[in-house]
Amino acid sequence: MSRAETAIDSRLPPAAHSNQRKISIKGLPVYSGALLAQDAPVFGSLNTREDFIAFARRLRGQFSIVIEDGATTIALTDFGCSRPIFYIPENGGKSFRVASRLEDLVPLSNNEVSREALFFYVARGGVGIDPLYADIGELHPARVTWFRGTSVESVPYLDWGEFLETVPIEPGAAEERFLEIASGYLGAIAHGRGPISCLLSGGIDSALIAWLLRSIGGTSPALTADYRWKRYSEFDSASANARALGIPIERVEVTAASRRRAFRALNSGRHNAPCCHSQSQILFDLARYAKANGVLTLATGDHADSLFLGFDRFFAGFPPDTAGYARAAGALESSAKLDRLYRAPTIPPADESLLSPFGLSAAACLAWEQSISAGDRAAMATWAARAPLHVLQQLAGQIWAGISWQNAFLPVSQAYDDEVEFVSPFFDIEMIRFALSLPVEYKFRNGATKALLRAIASRVLGRSIPKRASPNPSRIWRLAPDLAERRAMPASLRPDYDRLVRTNLLQAGRWWSAIDQVAAFGLWIGQQPVGAALAE
């Protein structure tokens, strides 16, 4: 439960006055087949709680919406909270301030660090639903929330239990339905926003996105990040996909120097949290290139592996044929399914660089991780008895899906003042509903994951695409010390930073991600008023 949700007010909100409303939309929500605008007539028809809930249930894609209506503020989050909404008490606790960017609320904070957010960052390389400021809250996913004075009412508008039914469907119909959902969603965004470029790699997910954009009449070139080291390059395989689809492709070079610039920009004081995700630095250069060429929307295949079960771990230890898998997975008891979903952490963080300055230990962080795993397990137990394992695995990947987006994609959009937006049809609630409804043979067939997506990609490309890793040269780039970065960090973090740099050099770059984590935190917190005090 978020802090706002502990003060539930059972009263309905007062009648709204549409002519007094101030509406802020972040992200690119689609409503009734069109990109939702701030002046959309639907906002004038929302008055009761039921109106807002019905409206939220019809929204597609990724968004946050804040509506200020006199003394009442109404906030809507998307299914996974990929666009955050923050809040903090003000006026001596007599009201709340609500905002979509953390920086707007920081002047009201008491500047104490959240223990839970720090643990999340250390354990998982990003900030979760709790901001690093302890007295600033963040709304949970799939909620409509009313703030009025000291009263807060937060209501869920999605029931994940409605998504668990598996429905038989013919292969041709499944492919058509996939195309209908994805092209309808991307088409609405293209019509309302203009050209969209695909971020094309050598894999099947981005190839499908490029095909979908072509099917809706897109003409913008695909963009591919590339490096000077051939061993890390995907340009040849991406170019092969582009040729098979008959679309133009442009190469965007990412260098050690451009990575350093991106890292600094993504960890400015204006951002919601430190950003140490290596993908973000690449996305930053792609966004810069796109913006310079008049393209402000970039489509990605992100989240396809989670939604359509593309990771090998989902099927590890089961027979490779679909029938054998179905028999083995179907024999599992609820507790065994939950064991597959949530393995309790048993190893504390390898490094305490960000914990010790706040008087915390790796053991305390491990205990926190274990409690989070136990909570996730208890929440999923509601559905474990009635849903097959593969559906539970898909569902587990959706409920907090937006947190990974906040840590990887959102910092890039914010670095460009929200002018450049990223979209993925795999974050569309209609695609999620469809994917969960598919029988297991569309997710796992003859030892291959993402069976439906692979079948479509094979048909449209005329060839199969092997599974491959997506390496980048971060390990090499981090071998060289960055003295300017070190100077920009708080003095209290420099000794641990220096130790990690030395260890990384001795270990041939194997500690590069630990350096990124400490450096991102140091750059960001060095520009914040937050102190070294932990909230009690």
Side-chain angles (χ1 to χ4, degrees):
M1 297 287 287
S2 72
R3 284 173 282 243
E5 293 162 28
T6 62
I8 300 298
D9 186 344
S10 60
R11 297 170 297 174
L12 286 174
H17 305 286
S18 59
N19 60 337
Q20 300 176 5
R21 286 176 170 167
K22 179 182 177 182
I23 299 168
S24 172
I25 300 175
K26 297 297 183 182
L28 301 175
V30 171
Y31 179 79
S32 293
L35 188 63
L36 185 68
Q38 294 177 348
D39 59 353
V42 66
F43 287 113
S45 65
L46 305 177
N47 296 293
T48 67
R49 179 172 66 179
E50 287 71 23
D51 291 340
F52 280 96
I53 292 172
F55 168 66
R57 288 174 65 89
R58 293 182 61 189
L59 291 170
R60 299 174 60 182
Q62 298 166 269
F63 60 85
S64 69
I65 301 174
V66 176
I67 304 169
E68 297 179 21
D69 187 4
T72 301
T73 298
I74 306 105
L76 292 80
T77 52
D78 66 23
F79 80 94
C81 216
S82 61
R83 283 286 185 163
I85 298 178
F86 303 104
Y87 62 92
I88 190 172
E90 64 174 346
N91 298 323
K94 296 178 181 179
S95 61
F96 286 93
R97 178 82 64 86
V98 181
S100 58
R101 291 191 76 137
L102 188 76
E103 66 169 338
D104 295 334
L105 305 186
V106 166
L108 300 174
S109 174
N110 62 17
N111 299 333
E112 291 181 335
V113 175
S114 164
R115 182 190 312 263
E116 291 77 14
L118 186 60
F119 282 154
F120 197 103
Y121 183 77
V122 170
R124 306 189 184 185
V127 172
I129 199 67
D130 292 304
L132 277 162
Y133 284 83
D135 55 351
I136 299 178
E138 182 177 340
L139 294 180
H140 278 206
R143 300 276 172 149
V144 183
T145 304
W146 290 266
F147 296 88
R148 183 176 176 85
T150 60
S151 140
V152 181
E153 180 183 13
S154 192
V155 180
Y157 63 80
L158 281 184
D159 179 0
W160 287 109
E162 298 176 357
F163 287 61
L164 302 183
E165 183 181 358
T166 299
V167 181
I169 186 171
E170 293 297 318
E175 291 191 19
E176 286 299 320
R177 182 62 181 144
F178 173 85
L179 174 60
E180 178 185 14
I181 294 171
S183 60
Y185 170 68
L186 290 172
I189 294 173
H191 180 75
R193 190 168 163 85
I196 303 178
S197 281
C198 172
L199 301 184
L200 188 62
S201 68
I204 66 170
D205 303 330
S206 64
L208 283 175
I209 301 302
W211 168 66
L212 288 164
L213 291 177
R214 192 193 67 178
S215 74
I216 63 174
T219 58
S220 297
L223 304 180
T224 297
D226 199 15
Y227 315 100
R228 292 176 181 173
W229 285 288
K230 187 74 172 177
R231 62 177 296 186
Y232 298 108
S233 176
E234 287 188 275
F235 188 67
D236 288 347
S237 55
S239 297
N241 287 344
R243 286 193 299 272
L245 293 168
I247 61 172
I249 183 172
E250 294 184 7
R251 175 179 178 267
V252 179
E253 186 180 56
V254 180
T255 66
S258 72
R259 180 194 184 277
R260 285 194 295 271
R261 288 193 297 269
F263 196 84
R264 294 281 181 81
L266 294 170
N267 288 290
S268 77
R270 298 193 59 218
H271 280 76
N272 296 337
C275 176
C276 61
H277 201 297
S278 61
Q279 184 183 16
S280 302
Q281 299 136 36
I282 299 164
L283 293 170
F284 183 89
D285 279 356
L286 288 163
R288 174 188 53 77
Y289 184 93
K291 183 180 177 182
N293 287 276
V295 176
L296 299 179
T297 310
L298 298 174
T300 168
D302 190 67
H303 199 53
D305 282 310
S306 177
L307 182 56
F308 282 89
L309 300 185
F311 298 116
D312 289 334
R313 68 173 185 268
F314 292 128
F315 303 99
F318 287 109
D321 62 294
T322 305
Y325 165 83
R327 285 193 300 272
L332 295 177
E333 299 290 337
S334 295
S335 60
K337 295 177 189 177
L338 294 171
D339 288 342
R340 295 278 306 194
L341 289 174
Y342 304 110
R343 300 185 186 277
T346 58
I347 301 174
D351 190 78
E352 298 189 23
S353 300
L354 299 178
L355 296 173
S356 55
F358 295 93
L360 298 172
S361 66
C365 186
L366 175 61
W368 170 85
E369 278 200 274
Q370 291 168 336
S371 70
I372 292 296
S373 177
D376 289 341
R377 182 185 178 103
M380 190 60 66
T382 305
W383 301 296
R386 55 179 283 213
L389 175 63
H390 66 92
V391 173
L392 293 174
Q393 289 171 322
Q394 287 178 286
L395 180 59
Q398 309 314 309
I399 296 174
W400 296 103
I403 300 303
S404 62
W405 189 275
Q406 284 192 38
N407 285 316
F409 289 87
L410 183 59
V412 182
S413 292
Q414 289 190 329
Y416 290 98
D417 295 320
D418 294 322
E419 292 181 11
V420 179
E421 293 275 8
F422 297 89
V423 296
S424 170
F426 300 108
F427 272 94
D428 173 27
I429 195 66
E430 290 303 312
M431 182 65 77
I432 292 168
R433 186 185 297 273
F434 166 68
L436 265 67
S437 75
L438 289 172
V440 68
E441 58 265 27
Y442 292 99
K443 302 158 190 175
F444 186 64
R445 185 182 304 146
N446 298 326
T449 60
K450 291 193 297 190
L452 175 64
L453 303 190
R454 292 184 189 282
I456 299 173
S458 179
R459 177 171 61 81
V460 301
L461 292 171
R463 60 190 179 86
S464 62
I465 300 177
K467 184 178 290 189
R468 86 287 176 271
S470 299
N472 70 67
S474 294
R475 176 174 171 174
I476 306 299
W477 288 334
R478 266 298 178 194
L479 287 173
D482 187 338
L483 298 180
E485 178 180 82
R486 182 185 184 278
R487 287 193 298 270
M489 297 174 61
S492 60
L493 291 178
R494 289 175 191 166
D496 281 321
Y497 176 83
D498 293 342
R499 175 179 54 79
L500 287 171
V501 169
R502 290 192 299 271
T503 302
N504 186 58
L505 188 59
L506 293 172
Q507 295 292 323
R510 292 185 180 88
W511 283 68
W512 68 267
S513 60
I515 298 176
D516 272 5
Q517 191 176 49
V518 171
F521 187 87
L523 291 174
W524 183 81
I525 208 167
Q527 301 171 74
Q528 301 291 322
V530 66
L534 277 170
E536 295 298 329

